[in-house]
Amino acid sequence: MKRKLILCLSFLAGFLTLAVTKPAAAAEQTYKIGTDITFAPFEFQNEQNEYVGIDIDLLKAIAKDQNFKIELKPLGFDSSIQGVQSNQLDAMIAGMSITDERKKSFDFSDPYYDSGIQMAVAKGNSKIKNYDDLKGKTVGAKVGTESATFLEENKDKYDFDVKLYDAADALYGSLNNNTVQAIFDDEPVLGYAVTQGQPLQLVGEKEKGNSYGFAVKKGKNAELLAKFNAGLKDLKANGEYDKIVANYVAKSDDETATGTMKKIEPKKSEYVIASDTAFAPFEFQNTDNKYEGIDVDLLNKAAEMQGFKLKWNHIGFAGAVQAVQGNQADAMIAGMTITDERKQSFDFSDPYFESGIQLAIKKDNDEIKTYADLKGKKVGAKIGTESADFLQKNKAKYGYTIKQYDTADGLYDSVRGGQIDAIMDDYPVIGYAISQGQELATPIKRESGGSYGFAVKKGQAPELLEMFNEALTEMKRTGEYDKILDKYIADGNEQKKSSVDESTIGGLLKNNWKVLLEGLWKTISLALISFVLALVIGVIFGLFSVAPIRGLRIFASIYVDIIRGIPMMVLAFFIFFGLSDAIGFTIPDYTAGVITLTLNASAYIAEIVRGGINAVPVGQMEASRSLGLGYTHTMRKIILPQAIKIMIPSFVNQFVISLKDTTIISVIGVVELLQTGKIIVARNMQSTYVYLIIGVMYLIVITALTRLAKVLEKKVK
């Protein structure tokens, strides 16, 4: 009896345990949910690299309300569809429109968001309040969207022009710079842009669009859909749904539309910024030899507004790219066009300048007023630019010939001197040239071009981009952005003049003699230091090359072949960027220049030494050895004194070559004499006089060295 009672109690306890634990097991059920990688404001990564957004927050809140767990799989929209269809995912949520076609493959929840398109204008624009106010205006939208279709259907009714863009950044940038006066986009996307500080205001009511739904495979996971619908109903009833949506989407009268800048916390005490040396009006040296320009002023202002410190490194465009990729700089700003190819290596800020290309002619040229007037003419552009591509694409159509140039000064000098009839260049560069006194005219409206962006290495310094974006938005809202642009870009009606007239040789010398002498001294010091070091190394390897020990001769031969076989520009890049990255700290540009020049010159000096020693008659060595003198003593007392007399003219010649080779070192940012001249030309466009002055300076120094060599040669003899 007692045993039966125990068995009954055990059975009852097991039943109660099962009854209690079974619901708990159900509560622990986890569903794999696919979502998009980035579709703000529905799903995207925040500063902590966590996925957030309307879809994500709603799903988490519903899972909590309905007592189930989710395993989020941000695979992208298309991959999520495949994952659900192949049973690798239980469901997907990715701003997915509910359509009859999709219902053939998916079962959808109740709609959780009713989308639609809406109009937005620049903040503060009180002239556009409805569609009737769009008459005579230009309205923008993204290609292939509901917005684009709506505008095409209504453009005749409301008498506006339509301009389409491939990307959202170009669309919003065009509204900011007044290329378009209004834009249309998905209402939640516009609302999110407002919450992120875009200076927009939403106008009117949204046009009804598709509804978004949570989706499972047709005939599968019905219980999950039921849970989602029940949780969605609960969230709407208790107000949680509205809070989640309001966290990401602003309305036209929302307090987040005020444009107040969000302060971001810097993660470094100082950020190193690489930039170009001479790309006026974006970066160039002023008459006080300090860097300024659109890029410089914008970033300095952003740093001031956000409270972070900058250290500028003006090393040229190619050098800046290498510096960021080699972790020697945190970011770069150098009129850098945002392209899909560059996005593979860089993360970009919001566009800060919408560029474009434009045709320019001499001011007194009345023959060219349209592209058709270019027939039989010569048109110039810089190699590898948008302008060159445009001219190449249209030359058959308009019947002109193209002449391409490596540098801007050669391009502008050619149109001024009549070698070509017209030029094509970035419109802000032409505008700056006009402001500096270049007698140019722009008879044809500019062609739209790419957008410029502030860039960091892919996956690094996101806070720096965010600080720049916040400050840029605020500058556009307050008008500070327009002030900076107006300071540097002229339309040809007004011309800003330097406080000192640089249109004459006297004016150039008066205003730039100090910086020219600094450039000359850097050129001479580079040549002197590197040549002394090269002399030591070259003599050693030269002696190795004639040594009786075969291993030393082979070693010297390999060294000379390797160094002479590498172009000096490549060697400079390797030492400054590659070697710096390999050893973990940055080699200063001047030091890298000295190392490059030393290695290059030492290989040629080694050959000079070898040739000088071999020029001494072989009988000298044989006679000395027959008298019982050792090899070292013979070389020091008999061979080398004679060889040195032979080598001196070649040594002086090599020093002159090293002096000239310093111009190549400018590619890594060393501002020697020629680079100094380029910086001056970028500011004042007076290339003829500037390069004449530099040529005379080189001539004086090299002539003096040649005279000195002849004196030394006579004394030695």
Side-chain angles (χ1 to χ4, degrees), residues 132-145:
D132 291 327
D133 295 332
L134 294 176
K135 185 177 181 180
K137 305 288 195 300
T138 302
V139 187
K142 288 178 288 187
V143 175
T145 60

Side-chain angles (χ1 to χ4, degrees), residues 84-136:
V84 173
Q85 289 301 307
S86 62
N87 299 313
Q88 296 175 20
L89 298 173
D90 297 300
M92 68 175 287
I93 186 168
M96 189 177 185
S97 299
I98 302 172
T99 65
D100 291 337
E101 185 178 0
R102 285 174 177 163
K103 284 182 179 179
K104 296 175 183 178
S105 304
F106 294 90
D107 289 328
F108 285 93
S109 68
D110 296 336
Y112 67 84
Y113 194 94
D114 293 322
S115 186
I117 60 173
Q118 192 165 9
M119 180 167 66
V121 298
K123 185 165 179 61
N125 185 341
S126 58
K127 296 180 180 179
I128 300 177
K129 297 180 180 178
N130 52 52
Y131 295 162
D132 291 327
D133 295 332
L134 294 176
K135 185 177 181 180

Side-chain angles (χ1 to χ4, degrees), residues 64-96:
K64 183 178 179 181
D65 181 80
Q66 293 295 306
N67 203 27
F68 64 89
K69 292 186 177 182
I70 60 171
E71 183 179 346
L72 200 64
K73 300 287 186 180
L75 305 174
F77 189 86
D78 292 336
S79 296
S80 294
I81 288 176
Q82 296 295 328
V84 173
Q85 289 301 307
S86 62
N87 299 313
Q88 296 175 20
L89 298 173
D90 297 300
M92 68 175 287
I93 186 168
M96 189 177 185

Side-chain angles (χ1 to χ4, degrees), residues 679-696:
I679 291 170
I680 295 171
V681 170
R683 182 183 72 240
N684 58 31
M685 299 291 179
Q686 300 295 329
S687 57
T688 303
Y689 290 153
V690 172
Y691 292 134
L692 175 61
I693 292 169
I694 289 174
V696 170

